[in-house]
Each structure stands twice: as structure tokens, then as C-alpha cells.
Amino acid sequence: MIVGVGIDVVDIARFESTLERTPALRERLFTIEERHLGIASLAARFAAKEALAKSLGAPVGLHWTDARVVTNDEGRPTLEIGGTVLARANDLGVDSFHVSLSHDAGVASAVVIAEG
Ligand SMILES: CC(C)(COP(=O)(O)OP(=O)(O)OC[C@H]1O[C@@H](n2cnc3c(N)ncnc32)[C@H](O)[C@@H]1OP(=O)(O)O)[C@@H](O)C(=O)NCCC(=O)NCCS
């Protein structure tokens, strides 16, 4: 059963300026494994976390680094969650997520479906 869906779009250039202006944000938003990625992929992962939050009703208190996007050998992304995000998912009866990312024409976007 689909429990929730979330979508988000990010202006890649604006996101890059924000990260340059506030370098500490990179650590607050991204796990160690994500931080080294190029700006379009980072923006898409930020969009994925926003979309993930929306799929869970965007409660206050979710930590950005309690979710990360991992990709398999073919490049397919999946979400790994823990901590605050896992607790919220458990509260809602969500046991799996589906995520899709895109970046083109200066925009990064993501869709997340929460299933339970
Ligand atoms: C609520 C939130 C998702 C809105 O995102 P935003 O980037 O400011 O705004 P967007 O334009 O992308 O999205 C706006 C839409 O979000 C939707 N939205 C608002 N509150 C929502 C909620 N509690 N649950 C799901 N969707 C919500 C609405 O449809 C809104 O559109 P509307 O104002 O026309 O109705 C954002 O403020 C927020 O709380 N982000 C979560 C941060 C977070 O928890 N991060 C850690 C995740 S790992």
C-alpha cells in the first residue's frame, strides 16, 4: 500500500551558491559517502531528502543525515534510512521507499514513494 509520496525540485546554481556561502551545510545535509559528489548529484540528493520528508508528512525533527541515497552497480538509486527518519517511517507503517532522481537544464528533482 502506498502510504505517502513526495516530490521536490532544486535550482542547481542557487544550491551551489548556498553551499559555497555556508560550507557547514554540506556536513549538515549530506553523509560522508554523499559529500564528494558533483553539484548536480548533490542537488538531486537534497531534492530526494526533501521529497522523502514530504512522503512522511514533513514532521519537524528529521535529521538530513538520517537518510542517504545509495546507487547500485547500474546507477539505480535507493534510500537508506536510520535514526529520526526510520522512527517516523515506523510510526507510519512504512517499510520501503522508492526513489527516482533527475538533473537537467539547471534543475535537479526527485520523487519518493513510501510503501507499507
Ligand atoms: C514542508 C517542506 C517539505 C516544504 O518544502 P519547500 O522546499 O519549502 O517547499 P516546496 O515548494 O518544495 O513544497 C511546497 C509544498 O510542500 C507541500 N507540503 C507542505 N507541508 C507538507 C507536509 N507536512 N507534508 C507533505 N507535503 C507538504 C505542500 O503541497 C506545498 O505546496 P503548497 O504550499 O502549494 O500547498 C519543508 O519546509 C520541510 O519541512 N522540509 C523537510 C526538511 C527535513 O525534514 N529534512 C530532513 C529530511 S531527511
Side-chain angles (χ1 to χ4, degrees):
M1 183 181 82
I2 291 175
V3 179
V5 61
I7 186 169
D8 197 58
V9 295
V10 172
D11 179 313
I12 296 172
R14 200 168 62 198
F15 186 67
E16 185 169 27
S17 312
T18 303
L19 285 184
E20 279 167 7
R21 224 176 24 248
T22 315
L25 255 189
R26 192 180 289 259
E27 285 178 25
R28 192 160 81 84
L29 297 177
F30 300 110
T31 63
I32 290 168
E33 297 84 357
E34 293 170 323
R35 282 174 211 158
H36 69 281
L37 293 167
I39 190 64
S41 292
L42 274 186
R45 278 151 183 78
F46 176 73
K49 293 177 192 216
E50 283 274 51
L52 171 64
K54 288 180 185 176
S55 79
L56 295 172
V60 292
L62 298 183
H63 295 177
W64 296 96
T65 50
D66 284 344
R68 70 178 178 129
V69 173
V70 295
T71 50
N72 72 8
D73 291 344
E74 289 157 355
R76 182 178 176 176
T78 52
L79 279 166
E80 280 185 359
I81 61 167
T84 56
V85 178
L86 179 61
R88 175 67 174 179
N90 286 340
D91 285 349
L92 296 179
V94 173
D95 55 32
S96 64
F97 291 94
H98 306 272
V99 60
S100 186
L101 311 180
S102 182
H103 36 81
D104 190 24
V107 173
S109 62
V111 172
V112 170
I113 293 169
E115 198 177 353

